[in-house]
Amino acid sequence: MKTIEQVVKMPKRADFRMHAHVNPLNETLFPYPLNYTHVDWSNHYPQKFGKDPLKLYLNTLEYPISYVNPVEQQYYDFNVDFLDIGCGFGGLSFALSRKYPDKYTFGMEIRGKLVNFIGEKIRALRAQNECFNVSVIRTNAMRHLPQYFRKGSIEKIFICFPDPHFKKKNHRRRIVNPGLLSEYAYILKPKGRIYCITDVEDLHNWHVEHLEQHKMFKKIDHTDDETAALIWNSTEEGQKVERNKGSKFIIVCERI
């Protein structure tokens, strides 16, 4: 008789390839909640709520979610600790879940195939009694972030190696801009932190400029921040930059 570990197979990245980028300004064609009272966190962290940890709800075609009705308070009255925006293949999300087993990490990614890969990897690891504190969802964070989280609920936000959108006409697609920074400040706890890392110096300068100009953030010294050290090589993109001997630029800011 097969064990549950043998039945739940680990997904292969090669089976989940897709375009590197998606236009975040396009119309959202998948479900999203009206507000945080429509988000059932037991779908994402089922062990905490006494539910089946191997069932997936990813907001993809293969693993759909419905946001039609509000959920019971016991299921929406929950705070995620770490938010990984544009989580890619989930390298950082998994690293955070292992380093901080008492914290809940939530990845957001717009590309459905990548979300399915992360979700199926989470399921395989849960079958091995791991990763009950990490989850992922398909959504467009540039459009729907405040609809998932209440004010002052997140401890740390991570934005790692985002699309630089080099053309000036596409700068409005950048995941760091004045409007979105206000949304990040809204969902962060006081003294919560936002981490931005890139291998593009021009984009780093953009991050620094907009974060330093925003009245809700102040730049801090991250020398002794172990989480800042963790994001350096935890993402797949960061590891590729390391292999190619490229440069990396990071800024860490605290919510005032």
Side-chain angles (χ1 to χ4, degrees), residues 109-162:
E109 172 60 51
I110 197 171
R111 293 166 289 179
K113 285 187 179 180
L114 270 61
V115 173
N116 284 339
F117 169 79
I118 299 169
E120 291 179 17
K121 184 176 179 179
I122 288 171
R123 180 172 60 187
L125 290 169
R126 286 177 178 175
Q128 300 173 29
N129 205 34
E130 298 179 42
C131 288
F132 295 106
N133 64 333
V134 62
S135 188
V136 66
I137 197 170
R138 184 190 187 192
T139 195
N140 185 345
M142 288 186 71
R143 284 183 174 270
H144 306 297
L145 191 65
Q147 292 159 255
Y148 282 89
F149 307 105
R150 69 183 74 197
K151 181 179 180 180
S153 61
I154 304 292
E155 184 177 329
K156 298 179 187 292
I157 292 175
F158 302 91
I159 299 174
C160 300
F161 302 96

